[in-house]
Amino acid sequence: MKKLLTTLVLFSALLFFKSYAQTSTTGCNPSFTFQFLTGTTVKLNPALTTDSPYVQHYWKFGDGSAPSTRISPAHNYAPGVYTVKHYVVRHNPNGIMVCTDSLFKQLTIGQTNCNLIAAFTSSTPAQLAAIFNNTSAGLAPGDSIRWTFGDGTVSYDANPTHQYLNAGTYTVCLRVKKPATAATTAPCVSEVCHSIVITAPPTSCDLAANFTWFQNSTALSLYTYHFTNTSTGAATTDSIRWTFGDGTSSNQNNPLHIYANAGTYNVCIRIIKRTNTGALTNCIKEKCYAVVVPPANSCNLQVYFTAATVQPNVIGFTNQSSGYSSLDSIKWNFGDGTTSNALSPTHTFTTAGTYNVCLTIKKNTIAGTSACIRTFCKTVVIANTCTLAANFTYTRNSATPNLYTYHFNNTSAPLNNTDSIRWTFGDGTSSNQLNPVHGYNAPGIYTVCLRIIKRNPNGVLTNCVAEKCYTITVAPACS
């Protein structure tokens, strides 16, 4: 009720003022200024800023919108020219009006000659970096430019290059502004925003997670398993986490785990590489296997084998498992796509590398009983045995009618007469001779290459390949 009474009193005072204008006094000073918050939003700041309950402000914005009784309102205009009116009314504590006054000012929103159109393009030639090209129309040398890159940083360059600290999606804004032409004229402002995607540098990830396991039959619990980390590319500073499929985990490199009950468990090893400073990277690898834990005393099968080098790429495997018979099935998986059912096989690896060799034995169980299966795996490393070094010498034969004739002498070692030889003379021709003679048709600069591929004793090509190239200059004939 009090608010309604105050509004009625203020409205009556304004009607009174409209009919009877007063001279401005200090107690009812209606002066005010414009403050441009943006190109179209204006804040009205009165000279009389008191918030006394005996002083009321009344604003008419001149654009047909509802008036405001706030002391210092902010109002958003459309471009145009407006007459802003400010009324001030003061009462004494008894509610009797002491004074009223008003002031009219003209406000122009937007310059009539504002032809600014903000625009820009961007490119990301490198990770975490972006280049911005200002393509705004109507931009003059005296106009202001402001970039916001979406990460809390700004730039006032015309065409900046910005380095981001992290990958992500950022909203980049360009704001161009012409200075105001008069004190009561808003500046000419144009702004445009675009989203850009910043990518992180690729992280080299050479991790290959893997592991082996076996049951320890000599432990107090037959549910005791040893897990061996056979991952490659891992360092001692990397983070390791094992999950054993029963709700437990470990950060040890080669843990020993005891299961409470028999069953099939999904065991996983997860490795995260760290930088030299210990920071985690996005290089993460994981490997999981289903580990079968049979009921106690129901399966006494223990699988194990040893490996010995017969030749550099030939490995002999000896089955040292216990608890199996000749009726049980045996399967070797050599990790190179080949298998064997021999008891203790010898295997030839055709390519150097690291192989996960596994032996699986399955007992020939009676129908209706649980299967008794055990697997043991071991890593075998086959080194590169290629010691071939290709090389050759050459001489020019000046005694022949064609002074562009060259003799090539193969000095490669070790070299067998079964190895494959191919010469390319740099002029589109080739030869398979051991020490060829080649005549060039014209002087010039030629790249001569000798490529050798070794063969095994059976004449089969191997992956041992060596090549050597020289650039020779065939000079014109001496006159």
Side-chain angles (χ1 to χ4, degrees), residues 102-369:
S102 67
L103 181 66
F104 301 173
K105 282 188 177 183
Q106 192 176 75
L107 172 65
T108 301
I109 300 296
Q111 294 184 17
T112 57
N113 63 340
C114 182
N115 60 346
L116 270 182
I117 301 176
F120 69 90
T121 60
S122 63
S123 61
T124 53
Q127 285 82 16
L128 297 180
I131 298 176
F132 299 96
N133 183 30
N134 188 341
T135 59
S136 302
L139 197 63
D143 299 338
S144 63
I145 297 172
R146 183 175 187 266
W147 298 83
T148 55
F149 298 114
D151 60 353
T153 61
V154 299
S155 173
Y156 301 96
D157 295 339
N159 300 291
T161 297
H162 186 63
Q163 186 73 35
Y164 287 90
L165 298 179
N166 300 294
T169 301
Y170 297 88
T171 300
V172 180
C173 297
L174 168 62
R175 185 173 186 262
V176 291
K177 175 181 175 182
K178 285 184 177 294
T181 58
T184 60
T185 303
C188 177
V189 180
S190 181
E191 186 173 22
V192 65
C193 300
H194 296 302
S195 293
I196 66 169
V197 178
I198 299 299
T199 59
T203 302
S204 176
C205 188
D206 56 354
L207 273 180
N210 209 348
F211 65 92
T212 61
W213 70 94
F214 66 92
Q215 183 185 34
N216 187 352
S217 60
T218 62
L220 295 178
S221 172
L222 291 179
Y223 300 152
T224 301
Y225 280 73
H226 291 267
F227 295 92
T228 303
N229 184 353
T230 60
S231 304
T232 59
T236 56
T237 56
D238 296 340
S239 295
I240 298 175
R241 185 173 187 266
W242 295 81
T243 53
F244 299 111
D246 59 354
T248 62
S249 61
S250 172
N251 300 110
Q252 297 180 8
N253 190 45
N254 301 300
L256 181 148
H257 184 65
I258 300 175
Y259 287 95
N261 301 291
T264 300
Y265 298 91
N266 189 43
V267 181
C268 300
I269 182 173
R270 181 181 177 90
I271 303 176
I272 307 177
K273 286 203 74 66
R274 291 180 178 268
T275 64
N276 294 333
T277 60
L280 292 174
T281 69
N282 62 348
C283 179
I284 304 172
K285 293 297 175 68
E286 186 175 36
K287 185 69 174 181
C288 300
Y289 289 107
V291 176
V292 178
V293 178
N297 300 322
S298 64
C299 181
N300 61 351
L301 178 61
Q302 296 295 311
V303 177
Y304 187 74
F305 66 86
T306 58
T309 301
V310 179
Q311 294 181 14
N313 64 329
V314 179
I315 305 296
F317 298 97
T318 302
N319 188 341
Q320 296 185 349
S321 305
S322 61
Y324 71 98
S325 69
S326 59
L327 299 177
D328 300 333
S329 64
I330 296 175
K331 184 178 181 180
W332 295 82
N333 189 326
F334 299 111
D336 60 355
T338 63
T339 60
S340 174
N341 300 110
L343 179 63
S344 296
T346 297
H347 184 65
T348 300
F349 294 89
T350 59
T351 306
T354 300
Y355 298 91
N356 191 42
V357 180
C358 296
L359 168 61
T360 299
I361 299 179
K362 178 181 179 181
K363 289 193 70 66
N364 185 18
T365 56
I366 301 173
T369 62

Side-chain angles (χ1 to χ4, degrees), residues 386-467:
C386 182
T387 59
L388 177 62
N391 207 351
F392 64 91
T393 60
Y394 57 91
T395 57
R396 185 172 181 173
N397 188 353
S398 60
T400 61
N402 182 0
L403 294 180
Y404 304 148
T405 300
Y406 279 74
H407 289 267
F408 295 94
N409 183 33
N410 189 340
T411 61
S412 305
L415 191 64
N416 299 324
N417 55 9
T418 58
D419 296 339
S420 294
I421 298 174
R422 186 173 186 269
W423 297 81
T424 54
F425 300 110
D427 60 354
T429 62
S430 62
S431 173
N432 299 109
Q433 297 180 8
L434 179 63
N435 301 299
V437 175
H438 183 67
Y440 289 95
N441 294 326
I445 298 176
Y446 300 91
T447 298
V448 181
C449 296
L450 169 61
R451 180 182 179 88
I452 300 175
I453 306 178
K454 291 202 73 65
R455 293 177 180 267
N456 64 18
N458 298 324
V460 179
L461 291 174
T462 68
N463 63 342
C464 182
V465 182
E467 188 174 33

